[in-house]
């Protein structure tokens, strides 16, 4: 008997009247993240996505494009698949509602409901919105218009088939009340319970073919096609091969749906009633997220910039894009998308905290440990703190992921990254490397750093898959299978060869350009981002004495400086040649950033940055107003 837990997750099936945009990408990327996490935890996972291809909206879009609906839907469905492949989404099935396997199940369910008296034929008149393809009740109408489209509603009267949804109202209320996690976060559960305080009406489930051809014909009356929502919701079981497919038997009782708040009602009201009427057990959970806005405005497919937002994934890298979406939105609440905010997170969290740590740690293992994971000696409280922090992050990530709280999971991982960064500063391996008596201590520290990176690669794997794989490759673990169970300290074998990292996430200047060279940062316009004391304390400022200076060949701006920092000698490349002659610098004491990731300029590695101030035209080096020895620490 296997004890493996099962997890069946669905995304909405997206309308093919437009190409994929940021909102679609968000839902699909978080679905991918949670599924990757559950797979790492050892669960048996099935992720379904797909496209919703019938109805008026699609028929109209096809007509506008001047192609038959099937050809049109083939084209856009392929576009969706391509986008998910490009973004690295690992789905198990992609269902299209125009596929025979889906149509057959819709018709089978309709026939069963008709046979058992769950559907009746009736007349209905009311205010109809063609955009939404639904009738609106008096209460919902705003100024005589559709609340969603703000277009005038049309009074239509027609004979249609109705599903007896109202009879399930009491059952549904009890179901939601007795299962506190059936709809979450809580606010959406409350919203639906509030809605159910009013009497539920029956649901019109057909559209006359005289008005709409593009749909699944009712099996008991081919003058009608199926209402698009009744057709679409069924994808969640048709994809599993209801009624007797093995996937259905294996996964349905573990079903969780993931949707945006815009489609709460069909999922929280229509769908459970439909399932109940068809004799299928209700889904386990409905997970509802908020809406992305762009610069405060509501996003809609008609606005071109939602598509541009997706283009930023290519501009800044798929992992940076994914990180931003996961980190920025509190699951369940709305959030705002902007390129500036994405770049700020990329620079602060990815380039600075994570990227720097990986490059510092691997560089030190190269420089001070000969490029291999060393054996380690006795531990001190500093290593114990690292382990405790890892345990804490692991526990918090696990808890957060039960609630789809991606932002909390990532905050926990970044707390661990902060602890490891402080460990580097606290243990100062560069100092240990100069004291032969500290050789064993140095080995222990370097081991702890390599092991921290290995654990980070596991913690990050569901969130930033390619980045996690790159870190693993640096540690010689590329391609090796792993799971959350490997998050146990001490599993990295001494002797493993470690490669030196190139920047995982190059910094980006706001506005899109790459980082400027050290010593020559132009003055930036506008307000700067605030940083915390914690951020500032990561900057290692030191007094350094210039012992030699020369112009860099073929460069007008660059000087190569040799400086003494404590008993260490370093090379710096600074863009100050237009302001200082090399001779006047020798002997001077300056202030440098000593822990800046090395950068190569005109073929010379610069191992720090000299501090200067500039008003845009003249430039002055920062100096001490009282004498201190080289190596003194700035604060
Ligand atoms: O509603 N912010 O399809 P759809 C966050 N076919 N998520 C967003 C978003 C935004 N601004 N805009 C869209 C349909 N989404 C139906 C679904 S399911 C049986 C049928 C995401 O193409 C979010 O997941 O309009 C939302 O629920 C979904 O796209 C709507 O996609």
């Amino acid at each position: 008997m296997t004890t493996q837990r099962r997890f069946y997750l669905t995304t909405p099936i997206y309308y093919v009247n437009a190409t994929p945009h940021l909102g679609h990408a968000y839902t699909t990327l978080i679905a991918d993240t949670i599924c990757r996490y559950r797979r790492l935890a050892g669960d048996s996972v099935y992720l379904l996505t797909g496209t919703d291809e019938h109805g008026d909206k699609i028929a109209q879009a096809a007509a506008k494009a001047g192609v038959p609906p099937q050809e049109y839907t083939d084209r856009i469905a392929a576009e969706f698949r391509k986008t998910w492949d490009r973004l690295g989404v690992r789905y198990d099935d992609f269902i299209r509602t125009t596929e025979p396997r889906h149509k057959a199940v819709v018709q089978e369910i309709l026939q069963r409901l008709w046979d058992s008296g769950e559907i009746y034929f009736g007349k209905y008149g009311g205010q109809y919105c063609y955009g939404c393809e639904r009738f609106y009740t008096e209460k919902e109408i705003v100024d005589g218009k559709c609340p969603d489209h703000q277009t005038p509603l049309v009074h239509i009267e027609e004979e249609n088939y109705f599903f007896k949804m109202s009879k399930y109202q009491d059952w549904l209320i009890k179901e939601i009340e007795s299962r506190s996690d059936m709809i979450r976060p809580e606010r959406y559960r409350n919203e639906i319970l509030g809605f159910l305080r009013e009497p539920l009406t029956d649901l019109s489930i057909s559209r006359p073919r005289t008005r709409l051809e593009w749909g699944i014909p009712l099996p008991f009356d081919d003058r009608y096609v199926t209402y698009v929502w009744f057709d679409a919701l069924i994808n969640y079981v048709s994809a599993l091969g209801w009624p007797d497919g093995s996937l259905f038997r294996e996964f349905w009782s573990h079903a969780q749906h993931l949707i945006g708040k815009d489609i709460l009602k069909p999922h929280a009201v229509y769908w459970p009633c439909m399932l109940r009427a068809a004799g299928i057990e209700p889904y386990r959970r409905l997970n509802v997220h908020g809406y992305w806005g762009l610069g405060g405005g509501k996003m809609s497919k008609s606005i071109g910039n939602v598509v541009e937002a997706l283009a930023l994934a290519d501009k800044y890298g798929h992992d940076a894009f994914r990180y931003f979406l996961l980190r920025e939105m509190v699951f369940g609440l709305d959030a705002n998308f902007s390129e500036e905010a994405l770049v700020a997170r990329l620079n602060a969290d990815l380039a600075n905290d994570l990227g720097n740590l990986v490059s510092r740690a691997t560089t030190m293992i190269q420089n001070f440990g000969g490029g291999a994971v060393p054996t380690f000696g006795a531990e001190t409280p500093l290593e114990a703190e690292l382990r405790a922090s890892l345990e804490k992050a692991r526990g918090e990530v696990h808890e957060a992921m039960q609630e789809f709280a991606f932002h909390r999971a990532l905050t926990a991982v970044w707390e661990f990254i902060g602890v490891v960064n402080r460990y580097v500063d606290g243990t100062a391996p560069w100092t240990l490397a100069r004291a032969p008596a500290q050789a064993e201590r140095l080995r222990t520290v370097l081991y702890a750093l390599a092991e921290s990176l290995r654990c980070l690669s596991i913690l990050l794997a569901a969130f930033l898959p390619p980045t996690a794989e790159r870190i693993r490759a640096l540690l010689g673990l590329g391609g090796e299978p792993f799971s959350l169970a490997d998050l146990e300290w001490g599993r990295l074998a001494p002797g493993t060869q470690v490669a030196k990292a190139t920047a995982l996430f190059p910094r980006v200047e706001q506005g899109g350009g790459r980082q400027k060279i050290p010593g020559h940062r132009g003055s930036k316009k506008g307000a700067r981002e605030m940083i915390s004391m914690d951020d500032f304390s990561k900057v290692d400022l030191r007094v350094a004495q210039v012992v030699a200076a020369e112009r860099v060949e073929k460069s007008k701006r660059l000087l190569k400086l040799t400086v003494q920092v404590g008993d260490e000698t370093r090379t710096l490349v600074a863009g100050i040649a237009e302001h200082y002659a090399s001779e006047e610098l020798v002997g001077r004491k300056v202030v440098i950033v000593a822990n800046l990731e090395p950068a190569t300029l005109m073929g010379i590695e610069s191992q720090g940055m000299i501090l200067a101030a500039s008003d845009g035209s003249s430039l002055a080096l920062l100096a001490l107003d009282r004498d201190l020895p080289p190596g003194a620490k700035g604060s």
Side-chain angles (χ1 to χ4, degrees), residues 309-332:
L310 200 51
L312 294 181
D314 290 330
K315 182 166 173 192
Y316 294 110
H318 294 173
D319 266 6
F321 178 71
R322 182 169 167 135
Y323 176 79
F324 176 75
L325 295 184
L326 292 168
R327 178 65 185 78
E328 192 77 3
M329 183 177 258
V330 175
F331 191 83

Side-chain angles (χ1 to χ4, degrees), residues 283-320:
Y283 56 77
R284 197 137 178 189
R285 262 177 212 162
L286 180 64
N287 303 281
V288 189
H289 65 72
Y291 241 49
W292 284 99
L294 291 163
K298 197 184 160 203
M299 187 190 304
S300 99
K301 283 172 214 174
S302 55
I303 306 173
N305 50 8
V306 293
V307 180
E308 277 165 36
L310 200 51
L312 294 181
D314 290 330
K315 182 166 173 192
Y316 294 110
H318 294 173
D319 266 6

Side-chain angles (χ1 to χ4, degrees), residues 200-215:
L200 200 57
T201 52
D202 290 342
L203 184 68
S204 155
I205 55 145
S206 62
R207 296 290 177 267
R209 279 177 109 154
T210 47
R211 189 148 66 71
L212 176 73
E213 266 292 333
W214 186 239

